């Protein structure tokens, strides 16, 4: 870090001089050794840039090494820089260099020399500029809790500095080079052990160093110039014991700050969490309500669709029986020689069938138009006997034609909570099957028995006949499938049982069928 700081400051000084050395006025003044012009240039130039530079470190030098102007000592000129290593290297190579001038902790300077060239690229003089390095040293030492020791080759020091440093601290050897201490951040009373310093100069690793009974962690760095040549060595030393208390204070401070930050973060996190939780709860509540509404809407749609399907099937199926009856009556009227009284009775029966069909159609139309206003739960009770009589009247022609005896007993359960059209459809579907599939044996009396029984809170409707029957065990998987028929020699749509099951299940009921070929069929409906 410290080595990079020196390099960075040196580059900053060289950039400062690049602008000054490119000035035609400066170039001409150096060519003509014009001190007055150089003086006019130097003072305002510093003010203009507002750099942290000392004007006494700005010097203009001729190609022969003569000092033409010191910015702070305008009357002191004429001495030569020929013996200075910095000038010798620059004049020999034509390159710029930087250097840390030796001295005590109180006056350490970073100086850069730069050749000034004209348009033909010929050197017409030199500019040196520097800045006081004391402040940088002190700030760096305070920030890093470290001390610095700078060593430089003996020949690079001016004679006076060389003599004072050698007399005070002695010479140190690194290979063929003789080194002296240029400056140090240590107090003057510190004595530097020659053997230990020479040993540390040959190692790049971090190691222990003991000075005046204090233990230091030390590391040496080589300082490189602009041309990548060595010009000195810096020791960086850290007093581990001195800063142990500082370290403890830092740890305590960091711990307290950490606890405080955790406490503040916990409070903020809890507030954020509460807010997020509240928002999630509100969103979930809204979603639940919305979902409930959607479920209710979907349920209503399903119910409505099912009801529409049922009504469609009821309309087509229930109208078939009176139409068949009406068709038979019309055929009788076509026959010749029919008694007038019989004709009147046929016409009356036909009118009754037409009226029943009209009532059925009117009822279905009314239900379709008003189904949105219907209450799902049916509260009204229907008189089973009354509905049964209507169905029997509608089928009277078919019953009489086949000479079927119909018996009924609804005393155990005379009424039922159901829509009249649904009860009528149930009775029509089952009774029409019993009539259609009545026994063909002329010697056997044809009987249909319809009765009710009480079963806990439910009502059982039992319809029993002694018709041709079928094998219900064999057909159990197909009993209630739509368009399924078990006697293909008979006409029919095959949706009667399917429709009946839909209606019964709409009232959370059940339907069971037991039938045996040649014996008859028993249908038990539980609602």
């Amino acid at each position: 870090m410290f080595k990079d700081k020196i390099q960075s400051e040196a580059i900053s000084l060289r950039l400062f001089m690049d602008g000054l050395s490119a000035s035609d006025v400066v170039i001409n003044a150096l060519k003509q050794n014009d001190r007055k012009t150089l003086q006019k240039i130097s003072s305002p130039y510093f003010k203009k840039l507002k750099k942290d530079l000392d004007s006494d470190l700005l010097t203009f030098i001729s190609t022969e090494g003569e000092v033409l102007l010191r910015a702070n000592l305008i009357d002191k000129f004429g001495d030569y820089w020929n013996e200075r290593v910095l000038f010798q290297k620059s004049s020999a190579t034509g390159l710029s260099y930087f250097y840390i001038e030796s001295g005590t902790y109180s006056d350490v300077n970073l100086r850069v020399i730069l050749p000034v060239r004209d348009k033909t690229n010929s050197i017409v003089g030199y500019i040196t500029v520097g800045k006081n390095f004391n402040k940088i040293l002190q700030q760096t030492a305070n920030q890093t809790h470290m001390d610095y020791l700078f060593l430089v080759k003996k020949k690079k020091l001016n004679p006076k500095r060389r003599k004072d440093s050698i007399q005070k601290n002695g010479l140190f050897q690194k290979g063929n080079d003789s080194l002296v201490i240029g400056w140090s951040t240590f107090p003057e009373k510190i004595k530097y052990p020659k053997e230990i310093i020479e040993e540390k100069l040959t190692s790049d690793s971090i190691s222990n160093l003991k000075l005046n009974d204090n233990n230091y962690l030390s590391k040496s760095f080589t300082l490189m110039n602009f041309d990548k040549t060595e010009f000195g060595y810096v020791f960086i030393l850290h007093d581990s014991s001195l800063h142990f208390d500082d370290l403890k204070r830092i740890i305590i401070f960091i711990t307290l700050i950490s606890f405080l930050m955790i406490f503040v973060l916990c409070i903020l996190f809890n507030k954020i969490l509460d807010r997020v939780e509240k928002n999630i709860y509100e969103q979930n509540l809204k979603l639940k309500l919305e979902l409930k509404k959607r479920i209710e809407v979907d349920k209503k749609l399903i119910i409505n669709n099912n009801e529409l399907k049922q009504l469609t099937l009821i309309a087509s199926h229930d109208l078939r029986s009176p139409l068949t009856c009406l068709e038979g009556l019309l055929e009788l009227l076509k026959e010749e020689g029919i008694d007038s009284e019989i004709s009147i009775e046929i016409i009356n029966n036909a009118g009754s069938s037409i009226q029943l069909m009209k009532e059925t159609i009117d009822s279905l139309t009314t239900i379709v138009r008003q189904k949105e206003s219907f209450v799902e739960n049916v509260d009204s009770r229907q008189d089973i006997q009354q509905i049964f009589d209507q169905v029997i009247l509608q089928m009277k022609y078919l019953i009489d034609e086949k000479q079927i005896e119909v018996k009924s007993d609804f005393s155990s359960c005379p009424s039922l909570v159901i829509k009249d059209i649904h009860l009528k459809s149930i009775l029509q579907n089952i009774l029409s099957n019993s009539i259609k599939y009545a026994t063909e044996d002329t010697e056997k009396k044809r009987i249909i028995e319809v009765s009710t029984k009480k079963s806990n809170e439910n009502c059982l409707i039992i319809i029993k006949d002694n018709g041709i029957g079928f094998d219900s065990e064999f057909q159990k998987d197909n009993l209630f499938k739509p368009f399924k028929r078990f006697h293909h020699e008979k006409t029919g749509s095959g949706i009667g049982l399917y429709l009946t099951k839909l209606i019964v299940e709409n009232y959370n009921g059940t339907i069971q069928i037991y039938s045996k070929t040649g014996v008859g069929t028993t249908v038990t409906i539980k609602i």
Side-chain angles (χ1 to χ4, degrees), residues 41 45 158 174 192 265 286 292 299 435 463 490:
I41 293 171
Y45 199 80
N158 63 51
K174 183 185 180 186
Y192 306 104
L265 287 175
K286 289 180 180 178
K292 187 177 179 181
K299 187 176 179 181
I435 296 169
I463 303 174
K490 300 288 185 178

Side-chain angles (χ1 to χ4, degrees), residues 309-485:
K309 289 179 182 178
Q310 290 179 20
L311 293 175
T312 303
L313 293 173
I314 289 170
S316 61
H317 186 266
D318 290 2
L319 292 175
R320 182 180 299 274
S321 294
L323 281 173
T324 303
C325 183
L326 184 60
E327 184 179 13
L329 293 171
L330 292 175
E331 288 295 329
L332 286 174
L333 287 175
K334 290 180 181 179
E335 293 182 6
E336 297 179 359
I338 296 177
D339 188 87
S340 60
E341 292 183 1
I342 296 174
S343 298
I344 293 171
E345 185 178 354
I346 291 173
I347 293 170
N348 290 335
N349 288 334
S352 298
S353 296
I354 293 171
Q355 182 63 31
L356 286 173
M357 285 191 294
K358 183 176 181 300
E359 290 176 359
T360 301
I361 293 171
D362 290 341
S363 297
L364 291 171
T365 304
T366 302
I367 291 172
V368 170
R369 290 177 179 176
Q370 298 183 0
K371 70 181 183 66
E372 292 185 356
S373 65
F374 286 173
V375 181
E376 293 182 17
N377 296 324
V378 180
D379 296 328
S380 60
R381 303 186 71 87
Q382 301 298 327
D383 186 288
I384 300 176
Q385 185 68 57
Q386 182 178 349
I387 302 297
F388 176 76
D389 290 342
Q390 293 177 6
V391 173
I392 291 300
L393 179 60
Q394 184 177 336
M395 298 180 174
K396 189 177 186 307
Y397 168 75
L398 296 175
I399 293 171
D400 292 343
E401 184 183 39
K402 290 195 174 187
Q403 300 178 350
I404 299 172
E405 182 182 355
V406 179
K407 300 178 181 180
S408 64
D409 182 7
F410 305 115
S411 59
S412 296
C413 182
S415 63
L416 190 63
V417 178
I418 190 172
K419 289 182 180 180
D420 57 350
I421 190 172
H422 289 159
L423 179 57
K424 186 183 293 184
S425 180
I426 291 172
L427 294 174
Q428 282 178 343
N429 290 333
I430 305 303
L431 288 172
S432 63
N433 284 340
S434 295
I435 296 169
K436 184 186 299 183
Y437 302 112
T439 181
E440 301 292 342
D441 188 353
T442 57
E443 294 182 358
K444 186 178 180 180
K445 190 176 183 179
R446 301 179 181 97
I447 299 173
I448 299 175
E449 296 178 354
V450 183
S451 62
T452 59
K453 285 185 180 180
K454 199 72 175 174
S455 174
N456 297 327
E457 299 297 323
N458 299 107
C459 181
L460 300 180
I461 300 176
I462 303 167
I463 303 174
K464 183 179 179 181
D465 65 61
N466 62 345
I468 61 176
F470 63 95
D471 189 348
S472 58
E473 182 63 25
F474 179 75
Q475 297 286 356
K476 64 182 179 180
D477 293 332
N478 297 318
L479 285 176
F480 301 105
K481 288 185 178 179
F483 309 110
K484 290 290 181 180
R485 296 169 57 210

Side-chain angles (χ1 to χ4, degrees), residues 88-211:
Q88 290 174 359
K89 290 190 70 172
S90 185
S91 60
T93 62
L95 302 174
S96 58
Y97 293 91
F98 69 89
Y99 190 75
I100 300 178
E101 286 194 330
S102 60
T104 63
Y105 184 80
S106 58
D107 57 351
V108 179
N109 298 317
L110 177 66
R111 183 180 287 274
V112 178
I113 187 168
L114 179 73
V116 179
R117 301 175 183 273
D118 61 11
K119 293 182 180 180
T120 64
N121 206 32
S122 299
I123 297 175
V124 296
Y126 301 86
I127 303 175
T128 69
V129 69
K131 67 187 301 182
N132 192 300
F133 218 53
N134 296 342
K135 186 177 180 181
I136 294 174
L137 282 175
Q138 191 172 9
Q139 286 178 346
T140 307
N142 292 337
Q143 291 172 358
T144 60
H145 298 286
M146 295 180 183
D147 287 301
Y148 302 95
L149 183 67
F150 174 63
L151 291 91
V152 68
K153 293 178 182 179
K154 176 183 174 183
K155 65 180 181 180
K156 291 185 178 180
L157 291 174
N158 63 51
K160 184 177 184 306
R161 295 289 187 189
R162 185 187 312 151
K163 182 178 179 181
D164 292 343
S165 183
I166 293 173
Q167 190 175 16
K168 179 182 177 184
N169 301 307
L171 286 172
F172 302 88
Q173 293 298 130
K174 183 185 180 186
N176 297 324
D177 294 330
S178 296
L179 307 177
V180 294
I181 294 178
W183 47 261
S184 172
T185 58
F186 287 102
E188 292 186 8
K189 63 181 181 178
I190 293 290
K191 299 299 181 182
Y192 306 104
K194 183 176 183 298
E195 295 78 9
I196 296 176
I197 295 296
E198 289 177 344
E199 179 185 350
K200 300 298 179 184
L201 285 170
T202 59
S203 174
D204 290 334
S205 63
I206 298 174
S207 56
N208 293 318
L209 177 63
K210 193 166 186 176
L211 293 177

